[in-house]
């Protein structure tokens, strides 16, 4: 065989191999995941890890920063068949399944372990079944931090009564404003980007966010203390369209679920580690960081919720069942 012939044969072999590889990739089920998290978020790394772990089984494409579908439309996009996977806020599910509002209430969860315990339990199974009924299969709760109260005034806060009259910035919306009331404060809505200046000028007394948010927004520069109220364990759910899930074989489902479980467990631990690191950081910056009487806050908040319209849709006995999982 001449040199040119050998060269042509080699080129043909390379081309055929590439085409075979492309055909194989095209044959894999496509799973597009849409999330609002930034590319440098711990959760973005978790999603990338999932995609890599299932790459022999799925063509999983991750779109962070709401670059595929608009923020808040992940649920409806899956329901309409326009999206395979999404990171969905439980508040969005509660808009269609009112019973889900229970998992958005203050002091329902004591910590990330309590959150995981719910979704592994029988009562959690009831909530998951409700989600299936509206067309999504929940793969895992995705923890991203616990909300704490961050104040400018140097006041002592041990109980909800100590927050009476304190103007606390909360996100807009009835559910968020009620959350502020449920921990004893005087909530006011304010755009996130305006919080630093409002704290600096005294327009508000404080705000609530997970510690990583406080760090990223440099709220520690214009506040004096962080009260570790732990009033809301923040999480979204990683979900897949029920129709997509049901079309997968048992082996494919197991592959995806295993990858999700491993990546989200690592993500949760990294968030917890970061929160612990930031306590020391804030103390070094001169802030007082302390835990109040959390049981007093918890009893006060849950009583307020039980008296509210939000609790009207909660299944009888579910609150007690979830509380018992923390014991």
């Amino acid at each position: 065989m001449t040199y040119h012939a050998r060269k042509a044969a080699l080129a043909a072999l390379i081309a055929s191999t590439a085409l075979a590889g492309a055909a194989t990739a095209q044959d894999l089920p496509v799973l597009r995941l849409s999330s609002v998290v930034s590319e440098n978020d711990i959760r973005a790394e978790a999603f990338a890890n999932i995609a890599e772990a299932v790459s022999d089984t799925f063509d999983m494409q991750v779109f962070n920063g709401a670059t595929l579908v608009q923020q808040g439309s992940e649920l409806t996009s899956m329901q309409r068949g326009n999206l395979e996977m999404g990171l969905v806020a439980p508040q969005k599910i509660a808009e269609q399944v009112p019973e889900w509002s229970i998992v958005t209430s203050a002091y329902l969860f004591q910590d990330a372990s309590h959150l995981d315990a719910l979704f592994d339990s029988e009562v959690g199974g009831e909530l998951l079944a409700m989600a299936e009924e509206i067309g999504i299969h929940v793969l895992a709760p995705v923890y991203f931090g616990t909300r704490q109260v961050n104040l400018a005034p140097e006041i002592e806060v041990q109980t909800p009564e100590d927050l009476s009259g304190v103007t606390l910035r909360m996100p807009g919306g009835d559910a968020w404003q009620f959350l502020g009331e449920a921990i004893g404060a005087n909530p006011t809505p304010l755009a996130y980007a305006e919080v630093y200046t409002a704290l600096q000028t005294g327009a508000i007394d404080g705000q609530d966010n997970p510690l990583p948010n406080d760090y990223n927004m440099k709220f520690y520069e214009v506040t004096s203390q962080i009260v570790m109220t732990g009033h809301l364990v923040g999480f979204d759910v990683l979900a897949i369209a029920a129709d997509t899930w049901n079309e997968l074989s048992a082996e494919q489902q197991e592959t995806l679920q295993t990858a999700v479980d491993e990546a989200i467990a690592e993500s949760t631990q990294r968030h917890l580690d970061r929160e612990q690191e930031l306590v020391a950081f804030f103390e070094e910056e001169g802030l007082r960081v302390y835990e109040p009487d959390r049981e007093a806050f918890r009893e006060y908040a849950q009583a307020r919720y039980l008296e509210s319209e939000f609790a009207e849709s909660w299944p009888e006995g579910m609150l007690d069942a979830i509380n018992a999982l923390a014991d």
Side-chain angles (χ1 to χ4, degrees):
M1 181 180 293
T2 67
Y3 167 77
H4 292 293
R6 290 197 303 271
K7 186 176 180 180
L10 178 60
L13 177 61
I14 293 173
S16 63
T17 301
L19 288 172
T24 301
Q26 291 173 359
D27 290 341
L28 296 177
V30 175
L31 298 179
R32 295 168 300 159
L33 166 60
S34 179
S35 88
V36 300
V37 307
S38 63
E39 290 295 347
N40 61 354
D41 192 290
I42 292 173
R43 291 165 291 176
E45 295 183 39
F47 301 152
N49 290 340
I50 295 169
E52 181 178 357
V54 303
S55 59
D56 290 339
T57 307
F58 300 102
D59 178 12
M60 184 171 173
Q61 304 166 14
V62 180
F63 298 85
N64 294 314
T67 54
L68 183 60
V69 301
Q70 185 178 3
Q71 180 177 358
S73 65
E74 298 86 359
L75 174 57
T76 54
S77 294
M78 285 187 285
Q79 291 171 322
R80 294 169 181 170
N82 298 325
L83 180 68
E84 290 78 36
M85 296 178 66
L87 186 66
V88 182
Q91 289 86 351
K92 297 301 295 185
I93 299 177
E95 291 176 3
Q96 298 187 30
V97 184
E99 291 87 347
W100 265 72
S101 68
I102 193 170
V103 301
T104 71
S105 62
Y107 290 101
L108 180 71
F109 302 112
Q110 294 190 14
D111 51 31
S113 295
H114 191 189
L115 169 66
D116 288 338
L118 168 63
F119 283 93
D120 287 337
S121 71
E122 182 178 345
V123 65
E126 295 177 23
L127 292 169
L128 295 177
M130 295 175 193
E132 293 274 354
E133 291 177 2
I134 62 168
I136 62 169
H137 176 85
V138 174
L139 294 166
V142 182
Y143 174 79
F144 59 82
T146 299
R147 299 181 83 93
Q148 318 290 356
V149 171
N150 178 209
L151 299 175
E154 296 181 0
I155 60 175
E156 179 74 17
V157 177
Q158 288 296 330
T159 68
E161 288 74 17
D162 295 324
L163 287 178
S164 178
V166 171
T167 302
L168 190 70
R169 178 269 173 184
M170 299 291 294
D174 292 343
W176 285 110
Q177 293 298 296
F178 185 79
L179 173 61
E181 294 177 7
I183 60 174
N186 178 28
T188 186
L190 186 67
Y192 192 44
E194 299 175 12
V195 175
Y196 184 100
T197 301
L199 287 166
Q200 189 176 43
T201 61
I204 59 174
D205 297 317
Q207 60 88 34
D208 88 311
N209 261 298
L211 299 187
N213 297 44
D214 295 340
Y215 174 81
N216 293 337
M217 297 300 288
K218 298 186 176 181
F219 294 145
Y220 59 88
E221 295 180 344
V222 289
T223 55
S224 70
Q225 62 174 308
I226 296 177
V227 188
M228 301 289 283
T229 49
H231 52 277
L232 189 69
V233 171
F235 77 100
D236 294 318
V237 296
L238 182 58
I240 183 171
D243 287 345
T244 300
W245 176 257
N246 293 332
E247 289 173 357
L248 302 180
S249 67
E251 292 77 14
Q252 289 173 322
Q253 290 178 350
E254 182 179 4
T255 295
L256 180 58
Q257 188 65 63
T258 298
V260 167
D261 290 344
E262 292 178 356
I264 297 307
E266 180 183 0
S267 172
T268 296
Q269 189 57 55
R270 289 183 64 190
H271 276 93
L272 293 171
D273 292 343
R274 182 58 174 156
E275 288 176 293
Q276 190 59 46
E277 293 168 2
L278 286 173
V279 169
F281 171 82
F282 291 137
E283 290 178 335
E284 291 173 359
E285 290 295 313
L287 273 69
R288 184 184 176 204
V289 182
Y290 63 99
E291 185 172 313
D293 184 344
R294 281 196 177 184
E295 188 58 31
F297 270 95
R298 182 169 175 267
E299 290 179 359
Y300 181 91
Q302 289 200 339
R304 292 296 305 276
Y305 271 94
L306 287 173
E307 296 168 355
S308 74
E309 61 182 19
F310 295 99
E312 294 177 0
S313 61
W314 297 357
E316 184 176 356
M318 182 171 282
L319 179 60
D320 290 338
I322 296 175
N323 284 340
L325 293 173
D327 296 339

